[in-house]
Amino acid sequence: YILVYALLPFLGRALGHFALDWPAMDLLLDAFLYPAFCLGLVLGLGLALGAVSPRIDGSADHTAAVHLAFYASTPLWLLGVFHVVPSPALHTTLPFVGVGWCGWLLALGAHDVLDLPPDRGMVAVGILFAIFTLAFVLLTQVLLAHLLSGV
């Protein structure tokens, strides 16, 4: 399911590049690497949740932790469709909306899916999500800066 959703930002970015007639190298960098890096970041978040969960009296189900991370990341993939619109302002704000939405879904599911205690569990999920958010925002802004430098 997640690979189908990961195609949405790829298609949006590819169509946006064709609409702007940007160089093929920028298309390769942006349309191909961005979804791949995002999948890697989400997988890393899931693996980290699976590793931390048993240490704070949660379940040791690593598969459920990865599934939770991927399901919580659904807004990022859905908002990727908007990359068809060639607007740097939109490309800057939508990742923040998507990441906030992901954090909300992750917080909702962490207690039920991973059996995390409400006190320590939410702190651990918050810290891991903050690291994920920092990496995601740096990734999106570095790619955006690279693309804008060539315009």
Side-chain angles (χ1 to χ4, degrees), residues 2-149:
I2 199 67
L3 292 177
V4 173
Y5 278 173
L7 286 176
L8 294 175
F10 165 75
L11 291 174
R13 286 172 177 271
L15 290 173
H17 278 279
F18 285 125
L20 292 173
D21 197 29
W22 282 358
M25 191 55 155
D26 286 344
L27 171 67
L28 288 174
L29 175 69
D30 191 41
F32 286 104
L33 291 181
Y34 177 81
F37 283 144
C38 288
L39 279 172
L41 284 172
V42 172
L43 179 63
L45 175 64
L47 294 174
L49 283 170
V52 168
S53 180
R55 289 181 172 81
I56 53 174
D57 301 329
S59 74
D61 189 356
H62 297 289
T63 304
V66 171
H67 286 178
L68 174 64
F70 277 120
Y71 288 133
S73 70
T74 299
L76 289 176
W77 312 117
L78 294 178
L79 290 173
V81 169
F82 289 103
H83 286 289
V84 170
V85 179
S87 165
L90 190 65
H91 292 197
T92 302
T93 55
L94 279 182
F96 289 105
V97 171
V99 166
W101 193 356
C102 290
W104 182 67
L105 291 175
L106 191 66
L108 285 177
H111 176 69
D112 294 333
V113 174
L114 299 177
D115 296 324
L116 293 175
D119 52 352
R120 293 183 301 155
M122 287 302 116
V123 170
V125 168
I127 290 170
L128 289 175
F129 187 71
I131 294 169
F132 165 79
T133 301
L134 179 64
F136 179 80
V137 168
L138 286 175
L139 167 74
T140 57
Q141 299 311 307
V142 165
L143 283 177
L144 183 66
H146 169 75
L147 291 173
L148 290 178
S149 68

